[in-house]
Amino acid sequence: MPSTSSGNRNRFGILAGVLVTLILLCFAVSAITSQWMMHNDDWNHHDLEHGHKWLHHELNLTETEASAIDAFEPAYREQRAAMLEEFQAKIENLRQQLVAHDQFSPEVEHAIHELHQIHGQLQELSIRHYYQMMSVLPPEKQEILKELAGQALSVPE
C-alpha cells in the first residue's frame, strides 16, 4: 500500500507535467500564429521585401504611373512599419498573458482585443493604400489591381 506522501508527490508530478505541457502548447500556438500572420508569402506580395518591384511588374507600370505610386509609398511604408512594431508588441503581451493566467481572464480578453485593434488598423492602412494606388492608375490597370487585391483578401489573416 503506497504512503500518502508518495501519492501526493505522484499527483503533484502529474499536475506539474500537465501545467508545463499546457504552457508549452500556448507558446507553440502563439509562435505558429505569429509566424503565419507575419510571414505568409501569399498574403500580400506588395508588402514583402521586393514587393514594390513585384507590383510594378504585375501591373506593367509606365514611368509616369510608377512615379505617381512612388510619391505616396514612403509614407505608407513608414506607417506600416510602426504598426507592425506595435502588432508584435501586442502579440508578445498576449503570449505573456497566456502564460500568466490559468483561465480565460479579463487580462487575456483585453490582450486579444488590443491585438485585434492593431490588426484592424493594419488592414485599414493597406486598404487605404490600395485606393491611393487605384486613384493614379488607368482603368485597365485598376482591373488588374482589383484582381490582385481580391486574391490577397481570399487568404485568411
Side-chain angles (χ1 to χ4, degrees):
M1 185 174 226
S3 73
T4 305
S5 68
S6 71
N8 286 340
R9 275 189 294 221
N10 285 342
R11 279 189 233 136
F12 177 75
I14 291 170
L15 182 61
V18 168
L19 184 60
V20 167
T21 302
L22 286 174
I23 289 171
L24 290 174
L25 180 63
C26 287
F27 272 122
V29 168
S30 181
I32 290 168
T33 301
S34 297
Q35 288 297 317
W36 181 77
M37 289 181 78
M38 298 306 295
H39 300 292
N40 186 338
D41 287 339
D42 293 331
W43 180 63
N44 193 344
H45 291 286
H46 180 253
D47 290 328
L48 297 174
E49 184 178 343
H50 300 289
H52 190 69
K53 290 179 184 175
W54 171 85
L55 187 63
H56 281 233
H57 177 265
E58 289 294 310
L59 295 174
N60 194 25
L61 297 178
T62 66
E63 285 296 320
T64 303
E65 294 163 349
S67 293
I69 288 176
D70 289 347
F72 47 77
E73 193 71 20
Y76 166 73
R77 294 270 173 212
E78 187 177 313
Q79 288 176 314
R80 187 173 184 278
M83 285 182 176
L84 284 173
E85 192 174 305
E86 187 177 348
F87 184 79
Q88 285 298 332
K90 300 299 182 190
I91 288 174
E92 181 57 33
N93 181 44
L94 178 57
R95 183 178 293 125
Q96 290 172 3
Q97 295 303 320
L98 291 173
V99 172
H101 298 277
D102 294 334
Q103 298 180 37
F104 192 85
S105 66
E107 294 84 4
V108 171
E109 185 174 16
H110 182 72
I112 292 168
H113 178 71
E114 286 185 330
L115 181 61
H116 286 175
Q117 280 185 315
I118 189 65
H119 187 243
Q121 291 170 5
L122 275 163
Q123 287 178 322
E124 181 179 337
L125 179 68
S126 293
I127 291 168
R128 286 182 182 278
H129 185 56
Y130 161 80
Y131 283 113
Q132 281 181 313
M133 290 186 286
M134 291 289 281
S135 73
V136 299
L137 293 174
E140 67 275 4
K141 293 186 180 174
Q142 287 179 1
E143 289 304 315
I144 296 169
L145 185 57
K146 283 180 186 179
E147 179 65 31
L148 294 171
Q151 291 170 3
L153 287 175
S154 67
V155 177
E157 296 181 40

